[in-house]
Amino acid sequence: MEPEMEDKTLELMNTTFMDSQTDERSKKTTVFKTITNGPMTGSRKRPSEGNYEKEKEVCIQLFDQWSEADQVEFVEHLISRMCHYQHGHINSYLKPMLQRDFITALPAQGLDHIAENILSFLDARSLCSAELVCKEWQRVISEGMLWKKLIERMVRTDPLWKGLSERHQWEKYLFKNRTTEVPPNSYYRSLYPKIIQDIETIEANWRCGRHNLQRIQCRSENSKGVYCLQYDDDKIISGLRDNSIKIWDKQSLECLKILTGHTGSVLCLQYDERVIVTGSSDSTVRVWDVNTGEVLNTLIHHNEAVLHLRFCNGLMVTCSKDRSIAVWDMASPTDISLRRVLVGHRAAVNVVDFDDKYIVSASGDRTIKVWSTSTCEFVRTLNGHKRGIACLQYRDRLVVSGSSDNTIRLWDIECGACLRVLEGHEELVRCIRFDNKRIVSGAYDGKIKVWDLQAALDPRAPASTLCLRTLVEHSGRVFRLQFDEFQIISSSHDDTILIWDFLNVSTNGQTEGRSPSRTYTYISR
């Protein structure tokens, strides 16, 4: 655009604007219009008489003759000469023109999959809102099966969702492509709120202590306790004081198999899909075939009772009343070799746990010791308990320990700081487990306590709010427990295994925190 023409046009615009200001002061009324076609109403108005319409047409004709670059340059000059009030009007006019409905536009370009992918990142509340935007958005969500994808994402990332999918059988409708027979999107949309309701019910059951109780009686002529256990969806494996290992059907609660061979009480065990590894007061560690019950290996190293053991990814750690910790390489069930013996505790080592970074041990000497997993070198000691430590669990940076001082302590393993002390048990805290939400502890007072882990990690949370529930059903000392999102399974000196089910709870005629139990008694021959 020629400079002279631009200057002439701007001069014409300024002259028009100055005239309008004069007319506005004299007439006190009228209409404000934009340089383009169509009015823009506002509180400041100008008259439509005079030469405005003619001058506007001249400006538009000149404007239409220029290139896009010249038009942009001219509008920039024009805007720079306006006041803030006028800028506000122009902004309101432009804002809706600049908005684009990309979800509707993408399918029109054959890009439905991109629109689906964008909306698949929404949470449930946002997905509900998106369905209400327009019919096209609703179509993209429906045909893209986005409610199904949302549920699948939750099942992949949240153990509670995964467990519910398995127990309620709707997992069979997930993770299948569109060519397979699957229900329509409406099925998953209606399923989602039902899942949320189930989750809320389970959480309420945990908080209120509502549960269905099942009891396995493990009595035999010389049995006086169930020292250890582990379970999965199909079975419970328990170690007893009568030197045996009993395998129970998880559904019928019948005893499937009894493994014998230890000459002392079975104090600890762990199993995977191939083997059961047990430690005994006879000072040995035995490896059994999980399917046949055959003894595959016997490790003789410790001088006194093997109190605890853990194995994972080809590494096993055992600890003993002889005050030592043994680190083993497990090439196979029959090829297990001693790598290193860790010495440092001044009393029996009651419990060990480890990951790729640290081995953590706790002892009757009141200390927790941290060792490097790769080098087996000593790292640090955690001090704080006033009496011997009976149990602990270690995961990520958190260590949770229970002691005969009747307290539970939470530790940061990296700096060694004690983060919180939980008080409430009246006797020795014998077993402890935690997940992302809860700590569950069992003690010699016969009680199982459920604690709020997130609140315990918050220094501002009052101590009185930390214990969510106390469960009392065992008539003897609680020796061992394990739990997941739906249940606790515990064993005791009273020769029983209790299954506390927080998912399948019948509320008919029950008092809060208690539920009818069914009892199974196994009499060994």
Side-chain angles (χ1 to χ4, degrees):
M1 179 171 65
E2 295 297 330
E4 295 82 357
M5 184 175 293
E6 180 182 351
D7 292 341
K8 182 178 179 181
T9 306
L10 287 172
E11 182 180 351
L12 178 60
M13 298 294 293
N14 286 332
T15 302
T16 304
F17 179 73
M18 293 302 293
D19 290 344
S20 71
Q21 295 299 305
T22 304
D23 292 341
E24 183 175 335
R25 284 193 296 270
S26 61
K27 295 184 179 180
K28 304 291 184 185
T29 146
T30 158
V31 184
F32 175 86
K33 294 190 177 182
T34 63
I35 187 173
T36 58
N37 291 324
M40 180 183 292
T41 59
S43 58
R44 301 181 184 184
K45 301 180 180 180
R46 58 157 296 142
S48 58
E49 298 94 309
N51 297 323
Y52 169 71
E53 292 294 340
K54 294 180 181 179
E55 293 166 351
K56 183 183 76 169
E57 289 300 324
V58 172
C59 291
I60 291 174
Q61 290 174 9
L62 292 172
F63 187 84
D64 289 341
Q65 295 173 11
W66 302 334
S67 67
E68 286 187 5
D70 290 339
Q71 289 173 343
V72 170
E73 182 182 355
F74 173 74
V75 171
E76 288 175 351
H77 278 292
L78 187 62
I79 291 174
S80 68
R81 294 168 182 264
M82 293 181 178
C83 66
H84 182 71
Y85 167 79
Q86 292 168 311
H87 290 158
H89 273 281
I90 292 174
N91 181 60
S92 299
Y93 182 78
L94 289 176
K95 189 176 291 184
M97 296 176 65
L98 297 174
Q99 293 173 347
R100 289 290 182 271
D101 182 357
F102 55 90
I103 297 299
T104 299
L106 285 169
Q109 302 296 321
L111 300 174
D112 298 66
H113 62 287
I114 297 179
E116 292 172 9
N117 191 48
I118 292 169
L119 293 179
S120 70
F121 289 95
L122 297 179
D123 58 22
R125 185 182 297 274
S126 302
L127 201 56
C128 284
S129 299
E131 288 182 317
L132 301 176
V133 171
C134 64
K135 289 183 178 180
E136 182 61 20
W137 282 48
Q138 188 179 47
R139 184 195 67 79
V140 171
I141 292 170
S142 178
E143 294 184 3
M145 302 293 284
L146 297 192
W147 283 102
K148 173 175 176 284
K149 292 179 180 178
L150 175 60
I151 293 173
E152 289 173 342
R153 186 167 79 237
M154 298 302 297
V155 169
R156 278 195 300 267
T157 58
D158 191 315
L160 181 53
W161 283 72
K162 180 173 176 57
L164 281 173
S165 73
E166 294 168 351
R167 285 164 173 78
H168 287 175
Q169 302 297 307
W170 41 264
E171 64 171 344
K172 60 187 176 185
Y173 300 120
L174 303 177
F175 306 107
K176 299 182 185 298
N177 57 41
R178 298 186 188 185
T179 60
T180 312
E181 281 295 325
V182 294
N185 184 68
S186 58
Y187 167 80
Y188 300 97
R189 196 190 189 289
S190 61
L191 175 61
Y192 190 93
K194 294 176 183 176
I195 298 171
I196 296 300
Q197 181 60 52
D198 284 343
I199 290 172
E200 291 174 350
T201 299
I202 292 168
E203 294 297 327
N205 290 341
W206 276 95
R207 287 193 304 271
C208 300
R210 289 191 295 266
H211 60 273
N212 180 54
L213 189 69
Q214 295 175 289
R215 187 188 307 265
I216 302 174
Q217 298 283 1
C218 305
R219 296 193 197 97
S220 61
E221 293 180 3
N222 61 345
S223 174
K224 296 182 181 179
V226 186
Y227 280 135
C228 53
L229 63 83
Q230 184 183 337
Y231 71 87
D232 57 37
D233 290 339
D234 301 316
K235 62 185 174 296
I236 302 170
I237 301 183
S238 58
L240 283 76
R241 190 174 181 180
D242 68 0
N243 309 349
S244 69
I245 299 115
K246 288 188 172 72
I247 303 176
W248 310 86
D249 184 281
K250 180 72 162 45
Q251 305 307 317
S252 69
L253 305 185
E254 295 177 353
C255 185
L256 301 175
K257 194 175 296 183
I258 301 176
L259 310 183
T260 59
H262 279 297
T263 58
S265 301
V266 181
L267 304 177
C268 54
L269 68 81
Q270 183 185 342
Y271 71 85
D272 62 13
E273 67 280 357
R274 295 189 305 162
V275 296
I276 307 169
V277 183
T278 56
S280 169
S281 59
D282 65 12
S283 306
T284 68
V285 175
R286 288 180 181 256
V287 183
W288 317 72
D289 185 294
V290 73
N291 296 310
T292 66
E294 177 190 359
V295 177
L296 303 176
N297 205 341
T298 301
L299 306 178
I300 302 173
H301 164 75
H302 289 290
N303 298 320
E304 296 189 63
V306 180
L307 301 179
H308 201 251
L309 63 84
R310 300 298 297 166
F311 71 87
C312 184
N313 297 328
L315 184 70
M316 180 168 68
V317 181
T318 61
C319 63
S320 170
K321 191 177 178 181
D322 66 11
R323 307 181 183 183
S324 73
I325 302 159
V327 182
W328 309 79
D329 289 310
M330 299 180 68
S332 72
T334 56
D335 183 6
I336 302 175
S337 57
L338 183 65
R339 179 196 294 186
R340 186 83 173 264
V341 177
L342 310 182
V343 179
H345 283 293
R346 294 177 287 107
V349 184
N350 294 318
V351 60
V352 288
D353 203 354
F354 72 93
D355 63 8
D356 292 339
K357 189 172 185 180
Y358 294 125
I359 298 170
V360 186
S361 58
S363 167
D365 65 9
R366 309 179 184 182
T367 68
I368 297 170
K369 291 190 180 294
V370 182
W371 319 75
S372 168
T373 302
S374 57
T375 66
C376 294
E377 296 299 321
F378 172 74
V379 177
R380 66 177 58 88
T381 299
L382 310 182
N383 290 297
H385 279 296
K386 296 178 173 59
R387 298 186 68 181
I389 302 165
C391 56
L392 67 72
Q393 183 185 349
Y394 157 55
R395 192 179 69 191
D396 300 327
R397 292 184 61 136
L398 184 63
V399 175
V400 180
S401 59
S403 165
S404 56
D405 64 12
N406 305 348
T407 68
I408 297 164
R409 286 180 180 256
L410 282 65
W411 312 81
D412 184 327
I413 197 170
E414 296 294 349
C415 65
C418 180
L419 306 175
R420 173 77 80 163
V421 180
L422 304 179
E423 297 179 310
H425 280 295
E426 298 166 7
E427 295 186 46
L428 179 151
V429 182
R430 180 66 172 80
C431 49
I432 199 153
R433 304 299 293 170
F434 71 88
D435 62 9
N436 293 328
K437 299 177 184 176
R438 306 176 184 91
I439 302 169
V440 182
S441 60
Y444 277 7
D445 57 14
K447 298 174 182 176
I448 293 173
K449 288 184 178 289
V450 182
W451 311 80
D452 186 331
L453 174 60
Q454 296 307 316
L457 292 172
D458 183 354
R460 299 167 299 179
S464 59
T465 65
L466 303 182
C467 183
L468 300 176
R469 210 72 194 174
T470 300
L471 306 174
V472 185
E473 289 288 351
H474 281 295
S475 59
R477 297 172 172 180
V478 181
F479 284 145
R480 195 59 53 92
L481 63 79
Q482 182 185 341
F483 78 98
D484 57 39
E485 292 81 5
F486 309 103
Q487 63 197 331
I488 301 170
I489 299 186
S490 59
S491 65
S492 168
H493 189 270
D494 63 15
D495 296 336
T496 66
I497 297 172
L498 298 186
I499 303 172
W500 316 71
D501 186 351
F502 297 93
L503 174 61
N504 303 301
V505 178
S506 173
T507 57
N508 296 332
Q510 292 181 26
T511 57
E512 186 177 277
R514 308 266 308 181
S515 60
S517 63
R518 57 190 179 112
T519 301
Y520 295 78
T521 303
Y522 177 80
I523 306 297
S524 66
R525 294 177 174 81

